[in-house]
Amino acid sequence: MKIATWNVNSLKVRLPHLLDWLATTQTDVVCLQELKCEDKAFPLADIEAAGYRAVFNGQKTYNGVAILTRAETCGEPLDVVRNIPDFEDEQRRIIAATVKGVRVVCGYFPNGQAVGSEKFEYKMRWLAALTDWLRGELATHSQLVLAGDYNIAPEDRDATPEWQDEIHVSVPEREAFGALVALGLADAFRLFEQPEKSYSWWDYRMMAFRRNIGLRIDHLLVSAALREQVSACVVDQAPRKLERPSDHAPVVLTLTSDRLAV
DNA sequence: ATGTCACGGGCACCGTGA
């Protein structure tokens, strides 16, 4: 069973890439971020025709998240939650669903713009609310994955040396990432030996992808019960090399599915 | 190099967000 996270930066623009990628990789669960479309504009028919089911939490212009499941292997996403309960938020950044007994939480974490800005304060409040809510989710779902665009590079090796901005690498953001890990989650990517300078996002400008100037900000954190079933976690750079790509590449987690509770 | 995209408003291109 493969679970992926991918910030597509406009689902409308990236739909052909997404459909090609689903057909090629047969990924079972796909968490999408930055849909930039309202629910009524969600391309459900195309996605269902590709053999997937989808639940989504959309917003015009900004944000928007979805969980896709391959119908043949996973059926429908169940027990869907949109946004963080008890956290007032106009922005559509969270969707959660249960897939084959795994609680899948898909998040588009706030960017934060600049350390100390109003948007940064929102990012930190949002992270605290997410952490509080997930504590309860973990109490009722031993098998949980938190997948998404975290907009946090957790360690120095996750940020290109050229990255001078404090945002995404600041101490408070990394402490918030640490608070999520302290809930009992593990960064699936770091369970394995990885190439140096592994990133998941590259700025569109300055030929950053060609020069591999990027950040690793897209993550899949797994609960202890899921961790023992993780057999691989990789960044799939192929879609970033296409014409008109998203600025993010998908990150894909592989589970040995024989021991998943249903 | 304030360098690239995507979007909305509104119909040419500019402001915003990333």
Side-chain angles (χ1 to χ4, degrees), chain A residues 16 34 48 69 83 155 238 241 248-249:
Chain A
E34 277 207 87
E48 289 192 336
T69 57
N83 278 15
E155 299 178 68
K241 296 174 180 173
H248 295 252

Side-chain angles (χ1 to χ4, degrees), chain A residues 160-195:
Chain A
T160 191
E162 289 86 351
W163 187 259
Q164 299 297 320
D165 298 14
E166 289 188 330
I167 197 65
H168 307 313
V169 300
S170 72
V171 170
E173 290 168 279
R174 287 179 169 178
E175 284 177 352
F177 186 91
L180 289 168
V181 169
L183 295 174
L185 300 173
D187 182 347
F189 190 76
R190 291 301 180 199
L191 298 177
F192 304 94
E193 200 168 315
Q194 301 288 357

Side-chain angles (χ1 to χ4, degrees), chain A residues 51-101:
Chain A
Y52 286 79
R53 302 289 175 262
V55 291
F56 37 91
N57 185 18
Q59 182 182 339
K60 188 168 74 171
T61 314
Y62 310 115
N63 312 313
V65 286
I67 298 173
L68 277 47
T69 57
R70 197 175 156 218
E72 186 186 345
T73 53
C74 297
E76 309 259 350
L78 305 173
D79 299 322
V80 179
V81 170
R82 292 172 178 82
N83 278 15
I84 303 168
D86 304 319
F87 181 73
E88 282 287 321
D89 197 354
E90 298 289 302
Q91 304 183 33
R92 299 291 178 238
R93 296 185 173 278
I94 287 284
I95 190 163
T98 301
V99 183
K100 295 205 74 169

Side-chain angles (χ1 to χ4, degrees), chain A residues 24-44:
Chain A
T24 303
T25 65
Q26 301 279 286
T27 304
D28 299 284
V29 182
V30 185
C31 297
L32 300 177
Q33 302 89 37
E34 277 207 87
L35 306 181
K36 297 184 174 178
C37 76
E38 292 178 294
D39 288 349
K40 64 186 178 189
F42 190 91
L44 188 58

Side-chain angles (χ1 to χ4, degrees), chain A residues 128-170:
Chain A
L130 175 69
T131 306
D132 285 345
W133 171 57
L134 283 179
R135 190 172 292 113
E137 288 291 289
L138 281 161
T140 51
H141 302 87
S142 64
Q143 300 187 119
L144 183 146
V145 56
L146 174 62
D149 176 359
Y150 286 54
N151 273 312
I152 301 171
E155 299 178 68
D156 286 346
R157 60 179 166 165
D158 300 315
T160 191
E162 289 86 351
W163 187 259
Q164 299 297 320
D165 298 14
E166 289 188 330
I167 197 65
H168 307 313
V169 300
S170 72

